[in-house]
Amino acid sequence: IFIITSANKEIGFGHLARSKVLYREITETYTTDVSYVFFNTTINSILKNYINHKKYLTYKAFINQKVNNCKIIIDLPKNYFRNNLKTFKKYKSIIIDNYSGFKKHISVIPSVKKITKKNSIDLVSGEKYLILSKDLMFENLKNKKKKIDKLFLFGSTKSPEKKILDDIIKSKIKKYLIILGPYVEKSVIKRLKNKKFNIVVNPSNYYELLCSSKRVISIYGVSTYEAIAIGLKPSIYISNNETIDRLRDIEFLNNKGLVKRYDYRDLNNKGNYISTSPKIFSGANNILKLIWKIFIN
């Protein structure tokens, strides 16, 4: 099994984060050989450490091998996926967060929202197909003391916008932490440190920090579902360049009572912000069942 995915300054670590969960679940459950295939990704020490130095190929090496007796899982941004769709056509494949339409492909949409698509029988979606790490569940079971009042999450690539930084200064909150990702510019990190903001960059104990937080303020992404999964109701900060599709997803989660739109008052409110819905959690068990059904059985 090859897991084709990507991580870079443009798209961040979201696709790779799901792929990492799947890699672990597959290797811990089955004896089949598994390897990452990196598309449009720089292979550096940060990436190698993130995947725990597991097996990987570049996309070019994968294509040059002309491997026929294999199955693939693809988690790529829509433009990467569409541009290479014909290459993937001949393989039995599970497509994460995209639609294919080829007979050998089944699409998985990891979202709380149940997706229906006309003329597509090979599509599964809904909260039981969320792909979240078991490490998050284990960390949450430790019942850690909530020592961080406000945790700010901006993904792997984005820098905090001026508005949110001004709000932090204005609110005079003390027990807060800003987590910045590995692709944030060093000049931005230096500037924030010089201005005495409480920041940490690409922490190895991210799940511990998340589970130790009373309230989460984040942009929409994987961290949104991670916060929901441990029973928190994240305040979603709407970035200036949000797409229509992402805004619709945010509105859906808001209507379900799982998130709320960020408001300055969120910084002054005390206590935990708990979701009105039960905790959701999926360690990709249902995707393992798909793998058994499609690839192995």
Side-chain angles (χ1 to χ4, degrees), residues 33-213:
D33 193 39
V34 185
S35 180
Y36 292 104
V37 176
F38 287 117
F39 181 88
N40 196 17
T41 302
T42 300
I43 311 295
N44 55 23
S45 60
I46 292 175
L47 185 81
K48 290 179 181 179
N49 288 335
Y50 186 78
I51 64 170
N52 300 319
H53 296 269
K54 300 297 185 182
K55 293 175 62 176
Y56 67 87
L57 292 170
T58 64
Y59 182 73
K60 183 178 180 181
F62 169 74
I63 295 299
N64 289 341
Q65 280 192 2
K66 298 180 179 179
V67 180
N68 292 315
N69 186 25
C70 73
K71 282 75 176 178
I72 62 176
I73 297 171
I74 305 169
D75 194 327
L76 291 171
K78 287 182 180 179
N79 57 326
Y80 294 1
F81 176 70
R82 288 172 180 163
N83 292 341
N84 295 274
L85 192 52
K86 290 182 179 179
T87 303
F88 305 140
K89 181 178 180 179
K90 64 180 179 179
Y91 298 107
K92 276 191 175 181
S93 304
I94 293 175
I95 314 299
I96 308 295
D97 208 25
N98 276 301
Y99 306 104
S100 170
F102 289 133
K103 291 182 179 179
K104 291 185 177 182
H105 294 182
I106 186 164
S107 298
V108 177
I109 309 300
S111 168
V112 172
K113 186 178 182 180
K114 186 74 174 177
I115 306 294
T116 57
K117 196 169 179 66
K118 191 176 180 181
N119 299 325
S120 180
I121 59 173
D122 296 323
L123 168 67
V124 295
S125 64
E127 66 180 57
K128 71 178 183 177
Y129 289 103
L130 287 174
I131 303 171
L132 300 172
S133 174
K134 288 189 295 189
D135 289 340
L136 173 62
M137 178 180 67
F138 295 149
E139 195 65 48
N140 194 47
L141 289 174
K142 294 179 182 178
N143 294 319
K144 290 187 173 295
K145 182 179 179 181
K146 302 292 184 180
K147 58 186 178 182
I148 302 171
D149 286 345
K150 310 291 186 300
L151 184 69
F152 295 85
L153 305 172
F154 297 97
S156 302
T157 64
K158 292 185 179 296
S159 306
E161 293 181 2
K162 183 177 183 300
K163 181 183 183 305
I164 195 75
L165 294 174
D166 288 345
D167 283 355
I168 291 172
I169 294 172
K170 181 181 175 182
S171 67
K172 297 181 180 180
I173 55 175
K174 301 296 182 183
K175 293 181 180 180
Y176 77 91
L177 185 65
I178 300 172
I179 294 182
L180 300 178
Y183 291 121
V184 174
E185 296 292 337
K186 291 182 179 179
S187 59
V188 172
I189 295 170
K190 183 178 180 180
R191 176 170 56 83
L192 292 176
K193 285 183 177 179
N194 289 340
K195 291 188 175 183
K196 306 301 182 184
F197 283 103
N198 298 330
I199 68 170
V200 62
V201 181
N202 196 28
S204 58
N205 64 335
Y206 163 67
Y207 290 141
E208 178 184 356
L209 295 173
L210 177 59
C211 294
S212 300
S213 300

Side-chain angles (χ1 to χ4, degrees), residues 8 19 23 30 34 45 60 83 88 99 130 134 166 188 191 197 205 215-216 224 228 252 255 268 289 293 297:
N8 55 49
S19 297
Y23 189 107
Y30 303 121
V34 185
S45 60
K60 183 178 180 181
N83 292 341
F88 305 140
Y99 306 104
L130 287 174
K134 288 189 295 189
D166 288 345
V188 172
R191 176 170 56 83
F197 283 103
N205 64 335
R215 190 167 302 203
V216 170
T224 301
I228 293 171
F252 174 82
N255 291 337
N268 291 317
K289 293 177 184 177
K293 179 182 177 181
N297 192 15

